[in-house]
Structure formats: C-alpha cells, structure tokens
Amino acid sequence: MGPVRSELMWQAVADAVQIAGGGALLDVLDLGGGTGGDAVRLAQLGHRVTVVDPSPDALASLHRRGVEAGLDAPVTGVLGDSADLLDHVAPASFDLLVCHGVLEHVDDPGQALSAVATALRPGGHVSVVVAGRHAAVAARALAGDFVTAQTLLARTAAAWDIRSMGPRRFVRDEVDELLTARGFESIQSQGLRVFADLVPSAIVDTEPGAREALFDLERILRTSPDFTGLSAGLHTIARLDLTSASPDPGGNSATL
Ligand SMILES: C[S@@+](CC[C@H](N)C(=O)[O-])C[C@H]1O[C@@H](n2cnc3c(N)ncnc32)[C@H](O)[C@@H]1O
C-alpha cells in the first residue's frame, strides 16, 4: 500500500468510477488533475482521460508519468482552468468529472461547477473533494492558535478571500447547495481523512501494521456522521439531472 493519504484519495476516485459507470469504460475529465496520479491510474484501467490544469509543470509531470506507465492511450493534458474550461472541452462530452482539491483555489466555485455541469452528459456524475472547514478549525486549535481557529469557524466559503486567507474551506451544507443549484443530485457524501492528516508520519511509517490499521479506521469513519464533519476532505459524488442543459443559475457572477 502507498501513502495512506493518496490511497484514500484514490479510493474516492474509484468509488466515483464505480457509481458513474458500474464497470463500463468512461470519458473522464480530471479538472485540476495536477501531476496525474489519479488520471494515469484511471487510464491504466482503460478509461479515456483528459486532465485540464493551469500548471504547465504539472502537465509535464503528467506526461512523464504516463510515459513511465506505458499507457496504450495517453492521458490528454490541456493547459486551462475552471474559468476557461468550455474553451477547451465540448459541452456534454464526459461521463464523469473529477474535481478534487480544486474548488479551494478557484475564484468562483459556483462558476466552476456550472462549467462542470455543462461539460457533463445529462445523467453524468461529478466527484468533488473539498477541504473541510471544521478540520482546519481543529488543526489550528490543536496547534494552540485559538484566535485563527475562531476566525476560520466564522468565515463562510462564500465570504472567503483566497488571496488573503489561503485555500477556501467548506462545510457540508455549502457543497450541497453549490451542487443542487446547478442541477446535481447528491448520491454519496463521505468524509476523507479524519485522522490521516493529523497523525505524525513517524508513527504511520515505522509502527508495524500502522498504515493498514489507519487505512481501515478511515474506511470505517468515512460514513460515520459523528466523524465526517471533522474530516480534512469532504467527498461528494453527485449526478447531473437527466434533463439538465448547461445549468447556470447566476452566470459568471454566481459565487455560491
Ligand atoms: C491540491 S492540487 C489537487 C490535484 C489533484 N486534483 C489531486 O486531487 O491530487 C490543486 C490543483 O488544482 C489546480 N488548479 C488551481 N486553480 C485551478 C483552476 N482555477 N482550475 C483548475 N485547476 C486549478 C492546480 O494547478 C493543482 O494542480
């Protein structure tokens, strides 16, 4: 098993593929797919994968990773972002859109998800992972920074300024509202990494069996309502309404 964090993130992708396709080969867009850790694994399973990312360095790493993996059909890497996504991909051209760790960084999460909805075929699925605000509060409090913990607690995702405050943090209701407003129905909501980001890696890497035990614990906790609100990653798999055609509740001015 690789690092617990990346294995848990891969499980989130694997769940989405299963729900979206049930074993069929899919057209998958990984928005903000970065260096392609998930994208290359998806391509190895036979899915047709496109990564759109604004980082040329990440796309170069993605290319290298694909070559090293000896892919039959390479992952298509596109330099772009959530704001200009529809300049690069055709509407209604994907079965599954993976958007993991990206809405924290974009100027307008609502606009990003409207573009996602347009890129998906009707009935297609999106897999969203965002950073949880309550986990950030807990991390700051455990570090003794109680003032920042309180500030984070009070700041909604809609009021978040990523330039002064760093990556945006969300609570579950905010994610659900963003998706519902764009014609998505939530199919599965889970918590990712309740403890994985908090446990010192020295313990996980050196104690025999610790990595597997932590992975098993996280797999149990991800559906526990008592714990998911505290997880570092909030994962949602949602299906686009079959009748949806380019939903855009507020045009480019909509934030949340
Ligand atoms: C935290 S990394 C996540 C990478 C990958 N999705 C994962 O789960 O490991 C954030 C990625 O989002 C990309 N990104 C930043 N702003 C973006 C935007 N506006 N649209 C799309 N991707 C963006 C970054 O270049 C980076 O590759």
Side-chain angles (χ1 to χ4, degrees), residues 48-61:
R48 298 166 292 274
V49 189
T50 301
V51 168
V52 173
D53 198 287
S55 162
D57 289 347
L59 291 177
S61 299

Side-chain angles (χ1 to χ4, degrees), residues 33-121:
T35 58
D38 293 330
V40 169
R41 283 178 85 166
L42 284 170
Q44 286 175 312
L45 295 174
H47 301 289
R48 298 166 292 274
V49 189
T50 301
V51 168
V52 173
D53 198 287
S55 162
D57 289 347
L59 291 177
S61 299
L62 161 70
H63 178 72
R64 275 196 300 277
R65 205 189 275 261
V67 169
E68 282 164 19
L71 295 177
D72 292 338
V75 172
T76 303
V78 178
L79 189 64
D81 63 26
S82 52
D84 65 9
L85 179 64
L86 299 172
D87 295 339
H88 302 290
V89 303
S93 53
F94 292 94
D95 305 301
L96 172 64
L97 209 140
V98 176
C99 183
H100 289 186
V102 176
L103 297 181
E104 297 88 328
H105 305 284
V106 306
D107 287 328
D108 187 339
Q111 178 281 328
L113 287 178
S114 291
V116 163
T118 303
L120 279 174
R121 297 183 174 122

Side-chain angles (χ1 to χ4, degrees), residues 25 71 195:
L25 294 181
L71 295 177
F195 294 118

